[in-house]
Amino acid sequence: MMKSKIEGAFNEQFNAEFFSSYLYLSMAAYFESQNLKGMAQWMRMQVQEENLHAMKFFDFINERGGKVTLTRIEAPKTEWSSPLQVFEETCAHESKVTGLINDLVDLAISERDHAANAFLQWFVTEQVEEEASVQEITEKLRMVGDRGGMMFMLDRELSQRTPPPTPAV
Ligand SMILES: [Fe+2]
Ligand SMILES: [Fe+2]
């Protein structure tokens, strides 16, 4: 069984994953409004990933006999000044999420919940990948600067991102 302290913290992370999803959907809307369809597509795939993350928490809480409680999702920001600013904020957001996951691991260890700790290790690895990929795009955007042709090429490159694999049921 899941201790109520863990249940509360996992429900908070469940909400945080949906906030990430909502934030990236807002960024997708911004890119659509800028006619950067490839970056919009990249963000849409990011939305799908965050929804999968949320559902992993949903399933785990239930499996462990806890209760999932849905709460209000904070409204994300809706305007940015440039694609670079969007990705810089994505980097900052992902490193904040890494901090949240690390705090959950600390809690699982201090509460001696080994199952929760094992479950969270997937997220620890996932965050390494997420931070690296957004960092890479941010670096590319810095190189692009205000060169329209290069922005066009990067947008096309980012349009290639495919949906995350659907987990086996
Ligand atoms: Fe996530
Ligand atoms: Fe993420």
Side-chain angles (χ1 to χ4, degrees), residues 78-145:
T78 55
E79 286 298 333
W80 287 269
S81 60
S82 65
L84 176 61
Q85 194 198 22
V86 174
F87 275 94
E88 279 173 345
E89 288 183 18
T90 301
C91 284
H93 182 69
E94 286 300 335
S95 78
K96 195 179 114 190
V97 173
T98 300
L100 295 177
I101 297 294
N102 290 342
D103 289 347
L104 287 178
V105 173
D106 289 344
L107 179 70
I109 291 168
S110 69
E111 293 295 315
R112 302 184 53 80
D113 188 334
H114 301 294
N117 187 13
F119 166 80
L120 289 166
Q121 293 309 308
W122 183 89
F123 284 90
V124 171
T125 310
E126 172 72 4
Q127 283 308 118
V128 172
E129 226 176 82
E130 287 232 23
E131 284 197 61
S133 77
V134 292
Q135 193 62 47
E136 191 191 317
I137 297 168
T138 307
E139 292 301 330
K140 283 184 181 170
L141 275 166
R142 286 199 183 108
M143 288 190 282
V144 166

Side-chain angles (χ1 to χ4, degrees), residues 11 17 23 33-34 39 42 54 59 65 69 73-74 77-78 82 100 106 108 110 122 125 143 148 150 154 158 162-163:
N11 266 295
E17 297 294 342
L23 173 65
S33 78
Q34 299 296 304
M39 294 185 193
W42 193 93
D59 288 338
T69 309
I73 301 164
E74 195 193 322
K77 184 174 164 173
T78 55
S82 65
L100 295 177
D106 289 344
S110 69
W122 183 89
T125 310
M143 288 190 282
M150 277 178 75
L154 182 58
L158 295 181
T162 52

Side-chain angles (χ1 to χ4, degrees), residues 20-46:
S20 294
S21 167
Y22 221 38
L23 173 65
Y24 295 141
L25 190 55
S26 189
M27 289 171 169
Y30 163 78
F31 284 130
E32 291 281 357
S33 78
Q34 299 296 304
N35 214 23
L36 289 162
K37 301 275 184 198
M39 294 185 193
Q41 163 72 5
W42 193 93
M43 282 297 171
R44 290 170 81 125
M45 296 302 105
Q46 191 72 358

Side-chain angles (χ1 to χ4, degrees), residues 13-15 19-20 22 47 60 65 67-68 71 90 93 96 116 118 120 130 151 155 159-161 163-164 167:
Q13 190 59 34
F14 170 71
N15 180 283
F19 174 73
S20 294
Y22 221 38
V47 167
F60 184 78
K67 184 179 185 301
V68 173
T71 52
T90 301
H93 182 69
K96 195 179 114 190
L120 289 166
E130 287 232 23
M151 186 67 88
D155 188 63
S159 75
Q160 306 299 310
R161 184 171 178 189

